């Protein structure tokens, strides 16, 4: 992370985390404070003299707990940065460094919501939801939404239909968030939505393509007759096993297909965002699937054989936000959409980042451009 900061030197930096405290958050939440202090006090971040940190750490409140963490860092060179107060419906100047955790429900500087349990009833203790903040930089107002959508509970169920039932659940939840942030309560502004969307490849189409010449063997539980495993074997070549599929097993014999050329051949199966093409924009993906990486610290590039690799972690934006991004000038590569730590173990998800510049005066058509600085 610090290497990316050093390389791109952003003036305004937003860092969205999901599953804060990890999967075993009750035991691991104690590490969060150390992580936050390291970010705020590190030498790499010394030029960021203002910060806002919002941590949903209250895991005892199952009704509201989302395990989301949103960090915002402002470079000392930035002047007149404002954050929106959703209760007072006005902007307030950002000064100093502030951390909010136990009081998120009563903090007027954000909107936080956990998705209703009936969205995904089989997952009783789901922490999926979103946090929204609103900012104004040099007359340019925009929302930043930290989001965590529902996962695939079973590879076998995901394989049954195209699109999968889980894709439909994510579609419903993302639609809810988009409707929420453009409703009538507040002025409409451009927005960026980024986090773990849990978007998966169309499992049925992927398997049918990867195993086009294979024969399938179905294994059922003796007591319930329920399908518990699918084995795909080559028709010849000594009937070599190509793929084994279980509820939490996706063991394909050749992982290179997910890594070669950044997995570009599989992008045609990344279809979940197409439903929202009229509402959301994404830059071209040129990095490998961001999940599920091995959690073995010596295996930074290796995928786990638990799920089909997919681009779960994304940075999306409204079409008006796309217009805020400064166009490339003189062949200078100003807009960069990439992943972090390609060779380093960073957990089962590989973080992604978007670096861009906001065009001067982009927030208001009639803005006095000469009064606005260019903000990265």
């Amino acid at each position: 992370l610090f290497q990316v900061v050093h390389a791109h030197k952003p003036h305004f930096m937003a860092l969205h985390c999901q599953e804060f405290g990890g999967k075993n958050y009750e035991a691991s939440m104690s590490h969060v404070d150390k992580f936050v202090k390291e970010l705020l006090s590190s030498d790499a971040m010394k030029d960021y003299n203002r910060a806002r940190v919002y941590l949903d750490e209250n895991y005892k409140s199952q009704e509201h707990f989302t395990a989301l963490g949103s960090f915002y860092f402002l470079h000392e060179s930035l002047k007149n940065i404002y954050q929106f107060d959703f209760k007072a419906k006005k902007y307030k100047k950002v000064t100093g460094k502030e951390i909010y955790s136990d009081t998120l429900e009563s903090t007027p500087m954000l909107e936080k919501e956990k998705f209703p349990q009936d969205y995904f009833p089989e997952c009783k203790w789901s922490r999926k939801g979103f946090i929204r903040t609103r900012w104004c930089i040099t007359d340019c107002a925009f929302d930043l939404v930290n989001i965590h959508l529902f996962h695939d509970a079973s590879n076998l169920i995901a394989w049954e239909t195209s699109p999968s039932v889980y894709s439909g659940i994510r579609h419903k939840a993302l639609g809810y968030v988009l409707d929420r942030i453009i409703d009538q309560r507040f002025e409409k502004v451009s927005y960026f939505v980024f986090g773990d969307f849990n978007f998966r490849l169309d499992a049925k189409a992927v398997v049918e393509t990867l195993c086009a010449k294979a024969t399938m063997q179905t294994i059922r539980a003796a007591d319930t007759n329920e399908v518990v495993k699918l084995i795909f074997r080559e028709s010849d070549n000594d009937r070599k096993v190509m793929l084994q599929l279980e509820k939490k097993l996706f063991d394909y014999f050749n992982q290179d297909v997910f890594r070669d050329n950044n997995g570009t051949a599989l992008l045609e199966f990344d279809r979940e965002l197409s439903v929202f093409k009229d509402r959301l924009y994404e830059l071209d993906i040129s990095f490998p699937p961001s999940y599920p990486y091995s959690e073995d610290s010596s295996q930074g590039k290796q995928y786990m054989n638990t799920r089909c690799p997919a681009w779960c972690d994304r940075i999306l934006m409204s079409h008006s936000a796309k217009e805020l991004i400064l166009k490339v000038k003189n062949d200078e590569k100003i807009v960069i959409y990439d992943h972090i730590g390609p060779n380093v173990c960073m957990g089962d998800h590989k973080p992604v980042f978007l670096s861009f510049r906001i065009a001067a005066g982009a927030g208001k058509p009639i803005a006095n451009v000469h009064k606005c600085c260019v903000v990265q």
Side-chain angles (χ1 to χ4, degrees), residues 43-50 74-77:
D43 188 61
M45 305 296 288
K46 68 179 187 301
D47 294 333
Y48 297 86
N49 62 349
R50 289 151 293 169
L74 287 68
H75 194 272
E76 60 188 10
S77 64

Side-chain angles (χ1 to χ4, degrees), residues 61-80:
S61 174
Q62 289 290 354
E63 183 184 353
H64 300 291
F65 181 51
T66 63
L68 294 172
S70 297
F71 298 73
Y72 305 99
F73 301 93
L74 287 68
H75 194 272
E76 60 188 10
S77 64
L78 272 185
K79 310 299 180 188
N80 301 322

Side-chain angles (χ1 to χ4, degrees), residues 86-144:
F86 288 97
K87 188 174 182 179
K89 294 189 176 183
K90 65 179 182 180
Y91 288 93
K92 295 183 177 180
K93 191 170 185 177
V94 179
T95 60
K97 297 180 179 181
E98 297 177 2
I99 301 173
Y100 299 86
S101 56
D102 293 340
T103 58
L104 287 198
E105 311 306 327
S106 59
T107 300
M109 308 309 288
L110 58 80
E111 286 196 323
K112 178 176 85 75
E113 199 167 336
K114 180 178 174 178
F115 295 121
Q117 190 180 330
D118 62 9
Y119 273 36
F120 201 177
E122 68 183 88
C123 191
K124 187 177 180 183
W125 300 118
S126 171
R127 297 171 291 280
K128 308 302 192 287
F130 70 95
I131 289 178
R132 168 199 194 184
T133 56
R134 177 170 290 190
W135 303 83
C136 186
I137 301 177
T138 59
D139 277 344
C140 182
F142 52 86
D143 281 350
L144 299 178

Side-chain angles (χ1 to χ4, degrees), residues 164-212:
S164 77
V165 61
Y166 304 118
S167 175
I169 294 169
R170 288 187 284 271
H171 177 190
K172 180 179 178 181
L174 180 53
Y176 175 85
V177 174
L178 297 182
D179 289 343
R180 181 74 172 162
I181 62 178
I182 63 165
D183 61 19
Q184 301 302 313
R185 294 169 302 139
F186 308 105
E187 178 187 5
K188 287 185 175 64
V189 300
S190 300
Y191 55 84
F192 296 86
V193 185
F194 51 111
D196 179 8
F197 292 83
N198 260 316
F199 288 160
R200 306 301 171 99
L201 303 186
D202 186 321
K204 193 166 187 65
V206 168
V207 171
E208 289 175 351
T209 300
L210 294 179
C211 304

